[in-house]
Amino acid sequence: RGHYVVCAFNIRQDDDIPGRGTFTPLHEADIETLSFPMQRLQKYNGMLRFRRLLSARRFDVVHAHRFRALRFVCTATLGMKLPALVGDRKNSYPVPRSWARVYGKDAVDRIIVNAEIIRSILLETGRVDARKIELVYNGVDLKSFHPQVDGSFIRQELGIEKTIPVFGLIANFAAKKSHDVFFAA
């Protein structure tokens, strides 16, 4: 859409494949990718490099995806004024006090959430101004997921009879998501 995009990633020391496959489609789309360590002692060197990058490039918007990146950017840019710093929060776990302080910082211009419950959780901390929170629901192409879509090829491939109900789950299959409850149901 005419924007110049740079993606910066947290690279852990034990990553055998930097970006774990994420870089490939970005490179194919001619999107520049950079990596910065964002944890342990290595993060301080990463913060200095990141700060230099921001000073040299003068981005219009910095979007920090997930809390670790937001904390990294806030610390790395202390004393700098960014045109716009956007963070996000997409899970409904309680927000620790130390995290709430970061989300509530003046340097953070907006926090994107994908559900009203997450907005409420952030507001309950007493540290985040409601005017900073933007609700943007996850996008799903509903034309691809409706009862009129013929799923017979999947049933055939998996050997499932027409009379047996089939449920799909599109998700991150991490244990913390409690998919076992879905499977048990």
Side-chain angles (χ1 to χ4, degrees), residues 8-9 11 33-38 42-56 72 76:
F9 291 87
I11 298 297
T33 58
L34 304 169
S35 61
F36 300 89
M38 295 184 191
Q42 299 91 348
K43 71 183 172 195
Y44 298 109
N45 182 37
M47 286 178 185
L48 287 173
R49 286 182 38 236
F50 187 74
R51 188 178 176 92
R52 286 187 203 121
L53 171 75
L54 293 179
S55 294
F72 176 87

Side-chain angles (χ1 to χ4, degrees), residues 34-156:
L34 304 169
S35 61
F36 300 89
M38 295 184 191
Q39 72 285 322
R40 298 193 183 96
L41 286 174
Q42 299 91 348
K43 71 183 172 195
Y44 298 109
N45 182 37
M47 286 178 185
L48 287 173
R49 286 182 38 236
F50 187 74
R51 188 178 176 92
R52 286 187 203 121
L53 171 75
L54 293 179
S55 294
R57 301 279 186 96
R58 303 196 185 277
F59 294 102
D60 295 316
V61 176
V62 175
H63 171 228
H65 178 64
R66 298 190 180 192
F67 178 75
R68 176 180 282 156
L70 183 62
R71 183 180 56 205
F72 176 87
V73 172
C74 284
T75 305
T77 60
L78 280 173
M80 292 177 78
K81 177 63 182 145
L82 298 177
L85 174 56
V86 177
D88 60 42
R89 173 122 181 123
K90 299 209 171 108
N91 65 50
S92 57
Y93 301 119
V95 177
R97 293 177 69 89
S98 60
W99 290 28
R101 282 194 296 275
V102 173
Y103 284 119
K105 283 183 176 281
D106 289 339
V108 178
D109 297 292
R110 291 286 185 272
I111 303 163
I112 299 169
V113 300
N114 62 351
E116 187 60 47
I117 187 69
I118 301 169
R119 176 199 304 265
S120 299
I121 290 168
L122 284 168
L123 292 174
E124 286 171 9
T125 68
R127 300 235 180 219
V128 181
D129 185 334
R131 294 172 292 187
K132 284 184 169 190
I133 303 172
E134 297 291 337
L135 177 59
V136 179
Y137 293 106
N138 292 338
V140 175
D141 180 4
L142 296 178
K143 292 176 187 164
S144 300
F145 303 98
H146 60 81
Q148 287 73 37
V149 171
D150 180 11
S152 60
F153 68 95
I154 300 249
R155 288 178 174 279
Q156 207 169 16

Side-chain angles (χ1 to χ4, degrees), residues 17-32:
I17 302 170
R20 297 191 184 195
T22 306
F23 289 5
T24 303
L26 294 172
H27 289 165
E28 288 171 358
D30 290 326
I31 294 175
E32 181 180 359

